[in-house]
Amino acid sequence: MRNPESVSISPTETKYLKSGTRISAYFAEKKQLKTPSDTAQHEAKHAVVAILTNTGVESATIIPGPGYLGLTKLSGFNAAAAAADADGHGGTGHDLFIISASGHDVGSARSVARSVISSNRDEAEATASLIEERGIVSGIEIDQTIKEVRSKRGLDEVILFIKE
């Protein structure tokens, strides 16, 4: 059995060991997901803001029902989660009405929602992809998606090619 050589290698680099073994590293291609619909993105933002501001989510769906294209069911009212669509997706009229009718300040709720979303875009994008793929998801699945994204943050998959 040969003595192993220790080598440090960066992605996109090739090194040759004393033994003649070639090691190359490169970033793996990221899987391209179907772009989520506006409705999936809208509902994902409601869900992510709710969870990250400590309100439980029962479910989120893009299966249309009477008077809606998508729906996120929360365990309780959350003004920031209701305002989570503040950066451009449709369907905001009813959400903003509910915020005002509940006595909350729409501007403040939107500010909190924007802050949460801007710091958690990857979480919202992954949640939207999940909702788009499945049509309806539970709050537990959304919470797991958020945790998965956070556990992988800053880590890129690297593939090593070793040839002797």
Side-chain angles (χ1 to χ4, degrees):
M1 183 171 193
R2 288 187 280 174
N3 289 335
E5 291 181 59
S6 176
V7 64
S8 174
I9 190 165
S10 303
T12 70
E13 183 178 17
T14 297
K15 286 193 176 179
Y16 293 90
L17 305 179
K18 292 176 193 171
S19 64
T21 301
R22 182 180 84 184
I23 299 177
S24 299
Y26 56 93
F27 285 108
E29 286 187 39
K30 293 195 177 193
K31 182 180 171 187
Q32 291 296 327
L33 299 173
K34 179 180 167 188
T35 302
S37 64
D38 279 353
T39 303
Q41 292 178 48
H42 177 98
E43 300 309 328
K45 289 176 185 177
H46 285 314
V48 169
V49 171
I51 288 172
L52 297 179
T53 56
N54 299 315
T55 299
V57 173
E58 292 177 21
S59 64
T61 184
I62 56 169
I63 299 169
Y68 61 86
L69 296 175
L71 182 68
T72 300
K73 291 182 183 177
L74 306 180
S75 63
F77 181 74
N78 181 322
D85 54 11
D87 67 353
H89 293 286
T92 63
H94 179 71
D95 297 328
L96 298 178
F97 170 76
I98 290 178
I99 295 167
S100 291
S102 66
H104 290 83
D105 180 66
V106 172
S108 295
R110 285 181 124 170
S111 179
V112 171
R114 281 188 186 116
S115 177
V116 172
I117 291 298
S118 70
S119 301
N120 297 282
R121 290 206 183 277
D122 292 341
E123 290 86 338
E125 185 178 309
T127 300
S129 292
L130 179 69
I131 296 168
E132 185 70 35
E133 179 183 317
R134 299 217 185 129
I136 185 169
V137 295
S138 71
I140 293 169
E141 292 171 304
I142 295 167
D143 191 51
Q144 288 172 338
T145 299
I146 291 169
K147 287 177 181 171
E148 282 178 28
V149 169
R150 289 180 164 194
S151 72
K152 294 177 184 175
R153 184 167 278 138
L155 301 176
D156 287 307
E157 184 178 354
V158 176
I159 294 176
L160 291 178
F161 174 76
I162 302 172
K163 182 172 184 179
E164 296 207 35

